[in-house]
Amino acid sequence: MNAGLRDELEALDRLSKSLDAQYRIPFTAFRFGWDSILGLVPGVGDAVALAPSVYLIYRANALGARKRTIGRMALNTGLDFTIGAVPVVGDVFDAVYKSNRRNFALLKNDVAHRTSVES
């Protein structure tokens, strides 16, 4: 894996962590991030949180992720956005589902698969 790709993946990992796992509730293993916090703002919070999630998918596409991977990432993000928009239930779902961490894992696996095939 070249240095540019490694740097890009590290940046996307940091982004997904800040969205889904930046903070930890003390004395527990439960983590949450800005996606959950923004989702608490009625009306606009979920829409604002959608932008960095879409950026993650955009960068995955630019990095050459397979269409299947992009589709799964879009499904995760769509599910998070749709259910996240439901008051109360959506807020809990946002905190538990962690679509951005799932999407980063999909991208990382895609890149690892592609790199092993190229070797």
Side-chain angles (χ1 to χ4, degrees), residues 22-104:
Q22 181 76 32
Y23 306 104
R24 183 177 61 83
I25 294 177
F27 311 110
T28 72
F30 185 77
R31 301 188 74 81
F32 64 97
W34 285 103
D35 185 27
S36 300
I37 295 167
L38 291 170
L40 295 172
V41 179
V44 297
D46 289 306
V48 170
L50 182 63
S53 299
V54 170
Y55 176 75
L56 183 63
I57 297 170
Y58 168 77
R59 290 307 308 150
N61 187 54
L63 291 171
R66 294 175 292 184
K67 289 181 182 181
R68 177 181 178 196
T69 300
I70 298 298
R72 290 176 68 191
M73 292 173 75
L75 182 63
N76 283 335
T77 299
L79 188 63
D80 184 33
F81 178 73
T82 303
I83 296 175
V86 177
V88 183
V89 172
D91 298 327
V92 172
F93 183 80
D94 269 343
V96 174
Y97 188 64
K98 301 184 185 329
S99 66
N100 297 293
R101 294 303 295 157
R102 290 170 185 258
N103 286 346
F104 179 73

